[in-house]
Every structure is written in structure tokens, then in C-alpha cells.
Amino acid sequence: MPAQSSGALYAALDLGTNSCRMLIARPEGAKFRIVDAFAKSVRLGSDLERTGSLSRPSAERTIRALQVCATKLRKLDVRHMRLVATEACRRARNGASFLSQVEKRTGLTLELIPPDEEARLAVISCAPLVTENSDHVLVFDIGGGSTELVWIDITHVPPSERAAAVMRLRMERDANAVAGAKLIDFISVPLGVATLHERFHDVEDESARFALMSWYFEEQLSKFRPYEDLDMLDGVNGFQMIGTSGTVTTVAAAHLGLKRYDRRKVDGITLTEAQIDTVIARMIAQGAEGRRNDPSIGRDRAELIMSGASILQTLLRIWPTDKLGVADRGLREGMLYSMMEATGAFHPEVPHDGT
């Protein structure tokens, strides 16, 4: 029986360096409806930059969160699921043993995905935001332990089919002739909000620390083809940049002055570079205590928002655009889209996230 008609539930879990997040959803036509969700800041990668290993307290916090997820999955009898772990478990010396402990204590088998698959899922999640007049798209995902960038050329795709072509993107540079979306380049920079913060946490001056983080992140882009060959950008028209991460959505919420976060107001909006610069300048001026007391930032993000903002501002400074599309979506949505398409639950020609 097709998944759509059976009312089957799908679950996607993303265990990152900073957070554990899960969505459980049911396909409805050309969209999906969220049935249950879980998100917790577990700080799995806390101190990983210094020690090279996952600490026992971090592992325990994370396993407790995963036990909650396991209970939800059993209670709802979810049959279609994909559960993934990313940069912290890839990098840690004890990452494999931690995942074994997770399976033993929660019954969940987490898949350790490589950076290119992490990037592909982020791109898929953002596909519904690709506009018909976009010839080139840069999708980036600022995570806790890494930042993925994917540059896609959709010049030869009919405008009405561009979002669908991006959703079907494969991460081999010569494998997209049929779909029409051409992968120009991809990079996974082993720096995210948590790892970049840890690297420069001992610099006391706010402005100096921000500048150092920005400079250091830009250095890591040297092997990314669109950065390495900036002349190639001269003829680029219809360029669209889409950012998906807590950093991007927090900056958007701060710009809107939200006292309480509202995904409906944030996801899909466009911010100008000037608007983003204004928000970041205000955050720097607030200082650590001011950011903690700012309801549009939130205490959970206050400590790490500036490292993420340094990455965001660096990317906007480099590429030929003064606008950013904001996506409140990521690996979980990408996994749900992929699973539902694979089982015939919906058709990507009319992509939508269902919220």
C-alpha cells in the first residue's frame, strides 16, 4: 500500500555537535504534516575542539535526549525513519564507541553520514525556496561543528522545474545531466558555531574576537572553487543565496524583533545585507549579558550566536549578492522529503514543507 494512503508516519533525527532534533510527520498530498517534534541543546561536541573526544557528561546528556526520542518513536509505531549523526561523531576519537552505546541503551541505530550527504540533505530541504529566476544557487548550512556550502548551476533548467531539479540533486559533479541541475562545487568546512567559538573563546574583546573568527573561517574556503576562482562570478546572473541554520533564523528573528520565535514569520523571508549587518552590529554592542537577556536571541543561542554571525557575514561579503533567503529547515526536512519521495508518498514537482 502506498505510504500516502496508509497514513504511515516518517521520522527524521539529526544528532549534531550542538543539538539533537527530530521530526515525525505524515505525508499529505504534495506536503507533509508534522505530528510530533523534539529538539534539545545537548552540546555533544562540548570541549571536542580541545580534547578530540566526546566527554562523558556530553555523552550522557545526549543519550538521555535520545531515550526520549526512542520513546516517541515506539509510542507512535513509526516504521519509516532515518536517524543520522554528523560532525561531532565523525571527528571524535570515541565517536564509534559512543554510537554503539547509543544503540545499546536506546535501541536506536544512528547512521554516521559523510559531509557530502549532510550537504545534500540541507540542499533538498531548501529546494522549495529556490525561485524561478535563479540561475545559480548557493545553499549553506552553519552547524555546530561544521559548515557546508553547495553551489548549483540551474541555468539550463526550465524556470518552473528549478526547485524540483535542486531537490533531485546528486553530489557527483558529472551526475546531474538528466535532472538538469549542475553541481559546481561543494565544501564542508570543519568549523561551526561551537568549534569556532571554542577556538577563539579566550579573546576577551568582542570586536577583535569577531574579526578573528571571520578571518579564520574565510581562510578555510580557499579550496572551494567559486572562492578560488572569483573571476568565474563575473558572468553570474540570477544568483540566489539560501542559508539554513539556527544562526540565520536567529538573526532573522532579531531583525523582526520577535519576542517569541515564530517559524511562520521567519522561514522563507529575505534579508538584505544591510539588515543583517545592523543586527550583527547590535549583537556585538550588547555584549554577552545583553545577548542573554534579548528574547529575540534566547539564552540557548546567546553564547554561540556571534561565532555563527561571523560565518554568515563572511559569506555575504564574498559572494555577488546583497540578499539572503532564510530557511528554517535542514537535515530533518531533507530526510523526510527523500523518504517520502522514495515511497511515492508525494511528488517533488510541488515541493512544500506542510507547515
Side-chain angles (χ1 to χ4, degrees):
M1 182 182 294
Q4 183 173 327
S5 61
S6 69
L9 294 177
Y10 292 72
L13 184 148
D14 168 21
L15 176 60
T17 302
N18 200 49
S19 302
C20 175
R21 293 171 291 189
M22 182 176 71
L23 286 178
I24 300 175
R26 175 179 287 111
E28 291 184 356
K31 59 184 180 179
F32 63 74
R33 184 67 53 189
I34 296 172
V35 174
D36 200 354
F38 177 85
K40 189 168 184 63
S41 176
V42 294
R43 305 295 293 273
L44 177 61
S46 180
D47 219 24
L48 175 60
E49 186 76 7
R50 183 179 66 84
T51 67
S53 297
L54 305 176
S55 70
R56 183 170 295 179
S58 298
E60 285 298 319
R61 282 196 303 271
T62 303
I63 287 175
R64 286 196 296 271
L66 289 168
Q67 286 170 337
V68 175
C69 294
T71 299
K72 288 177 176 288
L73 292 169
R74 287 193 295 268
K75 183 178 179 180
L76 292 171
D77 191 27
V78 179
R79 303 297 177 88
H80 303 276
M81 66 181 77
R82 190 175 183 190
L83 321 173
V84 305
T86 58
E87 182 67 13
C89 292
R90 285 196 297 260
R91 186 187 300 189
R93 288 191 294 265
N94 59 342
S97 62
F98 166 73
L99 293 178
S100 295
Q101 279 295 308
V102 167
E103 185 168 9
K104 181 179 179 181
R105 294 175 56 183
T106 70
L108 301 180
T109 302
L110 269 62
E111 173 191 359
L112 183 59
I113 60 172
D116 60 343
E117 176 64 2
E118 185 174 356
R120 187 184 75 88
L121 292 170
V123 168
I124 290 173
S125 74
C126 293
L129 301 181
V130 173
T131 61
E132 291 190 356
N133 62 349
S134 295
D135 294 331
H136 290 257
V137 181
L138 173 63
V139 176
F140 66 86
D141 181 8
I142 306 172
S146 65
T147 298
E148 281 69 44
L149 288 81
V150 184
W151 190 294
I152 309 157
D153 179 352
I154 47 177
T155 306
H156 301 295
V157 180
S160 62
E161 299 174 16
R162 288 180 174 179
V166 171
M167 181 172 284
R168 297 191 184 102
L169 182 75
R170 293 170 60 188
M171 294 303 287
E172 296 84 14
R173 288 171 178 78
D174 299 320
N176 299 286
V178 175
K182 180 181 179 183
L183 175 67
I184 298 298
D185 204 5
F186 145 75
I187 191 172
S188 179
V189 179
L191 290 170
V193 296
T195 47
L196 193 58
H197 171 79
E198 284 190 14
R199 184 172 286 270
F200 292 98
H201 76 279
D202 57 342
V203 180
E204 294 184 4
D205 183 81
E206 288 267 4
S207 296
R209 182 167 64 250
F210 187 86
L212 285 169
M213 289 190 295
S214 179
W215 166 78
Y216 187 73
F217 180 81
E218 184 174 349
E219 272 199 330
Q220 313 309 308
L221 294 175
S222 61
K223 294 182 180 178
F224 189 48
R225 182 185 164 196
Y227 181 82
E228 188 178 47
D229 184 13
L230 291 175
D231 290 341
M232 71 172 284
L233 304 181
D234 290 344
V236 168
N237 295 309
F239 177 74
Q240 183 182 10
M241 179 186 286
I242 302 173
T244 170
S245 69
T247 294
V248 173
T249 57
T250 299
V251 168
H255 165 71
L256 294 171
L258 300 182
K259 303 299 182 185
R260 183 181 180 85
Y261 186 80
D262 187 341
R263 182 184 187 275
R264 294 169 299 179
K265 294 180 179 179
V266 171
D267 184 52
I269 71 167
T270 298
L271 296 179
T272 67
E273 185 176 9
Q275 289 169 334
I276 292 169
D277 288 346
T278 298
V279 170
I280 292 174
R282 185 171 73 238
M283 288 178 174
I284 293 175
Q286 284 177 317
E289 187 62 26
R291 291 191 293 272
R292 280 193 292 271
N293 293 321
D294 187 335
S296 66
I297 297 175
R299 288 186 172 269
D300 284 349
R301 295 203 180 276
E303 184 181 16
L304 302 178
I305 186 61
M306 297 316 301
S307 52
S310 71
I311 295 173
L312 172 59
Q313 197 169 63
T314 299
L315 296 176
L316 280 166
R317 185 178 70 248
I318 294 170
W319 310 122
T321 183
D322 61 355
K323 295 180 181 179
L324 173 70
V326 176
D328 184 350
R329 53 187 76 205
L331 269 62
R332 295 169 302 164
E333 289 84 357
M335 287 186 277
L336 289 173
Y337 285 139
S338 294
M339 287 187 289
M340 291 177 185
E341 182 186 6
T343 57
F346 80 114
H347 302 288
E349 287 77 11
V350 192
H352 193 281
D353 68 355
T355 58

